[in-house]
Amino acid sequence: MTPTTPKIPAPPIRRPMGAAIQVSVVVHVVALLLLLQWRFWPISLAMLVVNHLVLAVAGLWPRSTLLGPNHRHLSAHAAAAGQVALTIDDGPDPLITPQVLDLLDRFNCKATFFCIGERVTAHADIARDIARRGHHIENHTQHHSNGFSLLGPGGMRREILQAQASIAEVVGHRPQYFRAPAGLRNPFLEPVLCAAGLQLVSWTRRGFDTVASDPGLILARLTRNLRAGDILLLHDGHAARAPDGSAVILKVMPELLTAIARAGLTPVTLRGALPSPTAAALCARAQ
Ligand SMILES: [Zn+2]
């Protein structure tokens, strides 16, 4: 009989605090200490005002990592394997999403859909079809409110957990990744994501296809310097219309998927190409 080696549990992984949050903690402590000497109150006030302006700007910068971890690229392993990820936001849309799914099938590609919870409930058959065809659905809030980045921790928690529940009820699994509406957020988001076991994902490049109607321009934005490890962003919900009235994503996708294939790259879902959710789960336990 071969002796079994006892398994050593992996050490807990804590998600690093964003640099702006770390600096913010120090600034608040120093500002409070300065207030002990009342004559320094203007300096204390100025420090706090500047600090909160920096936090606000960091939240308005979707690809920023100042407020906490934020996936902007695939893992180094995925990049070395020549992988890219196509992410499609704001659906499901009853007219556009089925056509997007057909295009993905035609090119034999898998994608990640950041869906809105209430839309998943309203278009449950389409959401189930997304999952049935081998794509993944992730969390893009319950209502996709324009004011998401102005919410406090309670409001953010409700939006995110409601979407988790809506998606799990329809497709049978809970999302692992989250993307904020328009990528805008505030310092309350990271602790909420951490507790929910979710990781924030932004993108490497986007086509601005909710506002731009020129398919050529959107394609150029997505393919300029396209390289392995990129996360690309398109929209099946809130999609701008091409000059012929069709959703612009439907014009862009065939050209984009052809360009990806020509570059020798392989589209994959995020779940196969980002660090494992273990870190997020341990983070939740460490709270
Ligand atoms: Zn969105």
Side-chain angles (χ1 to χ4, degrees), residues 89-90 140 144 181-182 235:
D89 286 16
D90 293 6
H140 198 36
H144 202 272
H235 290 80

Side-chain angles (χ1 to χ4, degrees), residues 235-247:
H235 290 80
D236 56 349
H238 302 129
R241 301 288 149 170
D244 69 356
S246 61

Side-chain angles (χ1 to χ4, degrees), residues 46-176:
M47 285 173 67
L48 292 175
V49 167
V50 170
N51 178 242
H52 283 269
L53 278 175
V54 170
L55 291 178
V57 169
L60 296 174
W61 177 14
R63 300 183 71 247
S64 159
T65 55
L66 289 172
L67 298 181
N70 180 6
H71 294 294
R72 302 175 295 179
H73 301 275
L74 301 182
S75 65
H77 180 75
Q83 297 176 342
V84 294
L86 186 57
T87 62
I88 301 171
D89 286 16
D90 293 6
D93 179 279
L95 295 177
I96 299 166
T97 307
Q99 299 178 71
V100 167
L101 290 172
D102 288 346
L103 280 171
L104 289 168
D105 277 355
R106 199 199 323 156
F107 284 84
N108 195 24
C109 289
K110 301 301 177 205
T112 301
F113 289 76
F114 279 92
C115 289
I116 300 169
E118 63 178 355
R119 289 194 173 192
V120 168
T121 303
H123 307 295
D125 286 349
I126 299 172
R128 278 191 284 268
D129 204 25
I130 292 173
R132 188 183 60 76
R133 297 199 200 191
H135 311 289
H136 287 145
I137 294 185
E138 305 295 352
N139 189 325
H140 198 36
T141 73
Q142 178 68 8
H143 300 102
H144 202 272
S145 157
N146 289 334
F148 177 79
S149 64
L150 303 175
L151 294 175
M156 285 199 164
R157 190 176 302 113
R158 270 192 301 280
E159 273 294 312
I160 290 167
L161 294 186
Q162 279 179 13
Q164 288 290 89
S166 299
I167 294 167
E169 189 180 337
V170 169
V171 298
H173 67 257
R174 296 173 79 77
Q176 296 177 2

